[in-house]
Amino acid sequence: MTQVRSILLTLFLLLPVTLSFHPQISPRIIVSNTRLYKNEATHDVRNDFAGDIDPDELKIQNTLQAHQSTAARLSFPTSVRSLVHHQHGFAVLSTNSKSNPGYPGGSVVGFAPDPSGRPLFVFSGMSSHTQDVLVDPKVSLTVASQDFKGAADGRVNLLGEMERVKDPEEIEMCKEIYLEKHPGAFWVNFGDFNWFRMEVKSVRFVGGFARAGTISAEDYASASPDPISKIGGMVASHMNDDHSDSTISMIQHYIGVDVEAAKIVSMDCLGMDVVVKRTPKGGDQPQEFKIRLPFVRKVEERKEVKEVIVQMTRESAGASK
């Protein structure tokens, strides 16, 4: 029972927190009864815990919650634009079915975002989704993060309307953007393939547990993709393969929590998201959950990522001596 209560306490302390970072102001905490955006979702997690939770474990949980409540993160619009821009270029397009009126149709399609974040598509005239959008242009596109594995990972649902691109100059621009994302797409020059662009009207975003909401089309279009997210996966893989002990040491030094294992799952200009494993004091079953490990300073280029990680590794190693 103590183990169950400890797990619930972890969820209570970590789930109701949503953070927003702006370059000119400090990150601010948004608790469960406040909305970062108008329709932001929250988790209903009970806080009437009873029973004997290990006092030392309670201190650790409070330390973790205090750190995470102010940990710098990308803003919602930047997170969404980064996910869409740096993803592998495949997503689920939902349309209103022409052949089965009243039912939605779903297709896995290739896409590439233009500079404003509008998805570009090239569809065969024979495809069912092509016929659907010609009748009803209202669609949604569900885009999962590059390494999506489950509910703790980010995904985006773009809602909008499809329009056919007919201007020859615009078509050439679409081809250039699309081929950069899909260099092997030889069919872009086929005569029976047509170009479409999705005008985004609204965006729904889930960045993992307790980080969900909606953003306007204007905020989405005006945001810029984070430059570090593109190469973050490669850096994370290197750290996980060769320097996982360093990640564990950084968590202990900068957050004040000992963990048994740590795997970096994403990285951006402000820090890292890390899945950690630890066994609560007084318990015998390990817990696994995601935490935020901010960089000591914002980074803009790939070489700066290496520099800041080396700095944090050295400072963590020095503090442990």
Side-chain angles (χ1 to χ4, degrees):
M1 181 62 72
T2 300
Q3 176 70 17
V4 172
R5 293 191 184 106
S6 181
I7 293 173
L8 290 173
L9 180 59
T10 300
L11 291 172
F12 169 66
L13 292 174
L14 294 181
L15 288 183
V17 179
T18 300
L19 303 164
S20 175
F21 178 86
H22 301 277
Q24 304 303 322
I25 61 175
S26 300
R28 58 193 179 91
I29 178 172
I30 308 296
V31 293
S32 59
N33 61 352
T34 308
R35 301 294 186 268
L36 179 59
Y37 290 91
K38 182 179 179 180
N39 297 318
E40 182 185 351
T42 59
H43 291 273
D44 181 15
V45 181
R46 295 180 59 188
N47 62 358
D48 55 339
F49 301 110
D52 52 340
I53 297 175
D54 187 286
D56 290 335
E57 177 63 19
L58 183 59
K59 290 180 181 178
I60 293 172
Q61 297 287 356
N62 287 334
T63 297
L64 182 58
Q65 190 274 340
H67 177 274
Q68 295 295 284
S69 69
T70 58
R73 302 172 187 262
L74 299 177
S75 68
F76 268 33
T78 301
S79 293
V80 172
R81 283 296 303 275
S82 301
L83 189 155
V84 173
H85 190 79
H86 298 310
Q87 197 249 16
H88 45 57
F90 291 93
V92 176
L93 178 70
S94 298
T95 58
N96 291 304
S97 177
K98 174 186 175 182
S99 58
N100 297 283
Y103 289 89
S107 304
V108 176
V109 299
F111 79 97
D114 73 4
S116 297
R118 297 176 298 181
L120 303 175
F121 310 89
V122 57
F123 292 152
S124 166
M126 296 185 297
S127 298
S128 60
H129 48 264
T130 305
Q131 298 301 312
D132 293 345
V133 301
L134 290 174
V135 174
D136 187 345
K138 292 184 174 64
V139 300
S140 76
L141 187 71
T142 302
V143 187
S145 61
Q146 178 83 11
D147 300 312
F148 184 87
K149 292 183 176 62
D153 299 317
R155 57 271 196 196
V156 174
N157 183 240
L158 305 176
L159 292 88
E161 296 186 12
M162 204 72 91
E163 64 176 17
R164 187 175 171 188
V165 181
K166 298 180 180 181
D167 181 79
E169 291 187 4
E170 285 193 89
I171 289 176
E172 290 304 313
M173 291 175 59
C174 290
K175 283 184 182 179
E176 182 178 350
I177 293 171
Y178 195 88
L179 287 172
E180 185 176 355
K181 176 70 74 173
H182 303 279
F186 56 86
W187 53 87
V188 299
N189 294 311
F190 287 2
D192 63 337
F193 276 69
N194 301 291
W195 288 94
F196 291 87
R197 177 171 50 225
M198 180 179 174
E199 293 291 339
V200 178
K201 303 296 184 181
S202 182
V203 181
R204 296 183 293 191
F205 171 58
V206 178
F209 293 118
R211 197 164 192 252
T214 62
I215 63 175
S216 68
E218 293 75 19
D219 286 340
Y220 172 76
S222 62
S224 297
D226 172 65
I228 302 303
S229 298
K230 182 177 182 179
I231 55 95
M234 294 182 289
V235 179
S237 294
H238 170 67
M239 289 293 295
N240 294 334
D241 291 342
D242 300 329
H243 306 288
S244 60
D245 289 347
S246 296
T247 305
I248 292 173
S249 296
M250 285 188 280
I251 291 170
Q252 198 285 325
H253 176 60
Y254 290 102
I255 302 180
V257 175
D258 290 318
V259 298
E260 299 155 22
K263 180 180 180 180
I264 303 170
V265 293
S266 64
M267 192 176 295
D268 54 63
C269 68
L270 301 177
M272 303 176 276
D273 290 320
V274 188
V275 172
V276 300
K277 181 184 293 185
R278 66 177 296 271
T279 301
K281 293 184 180 298
D284 56 7
Q285 296 295 319
Q287 300 174 5
E288 192 171 88
F289 52 94
K290 185 186 292 186
I291 62 175
R292 181 69 174 174
L293 177 61
F295 290 145
V296 291
R297 64 179 183 277
K298 184 177 180 179
V299 297
E300 301 284 355
E301 299 177 357
R302 182 170 185 164
K303 66 176 183 179
E304 292 181 86
V305 176
K306 179 179 179 180
E307 292 170 354
V308 78
I309 290 177
V310 169
Q311 175 188 343
M312 293 174 67
T313 298
R314 289 175 176 171
E315 291 177 353
S316 301
S320 64
K321 292 181 180 180

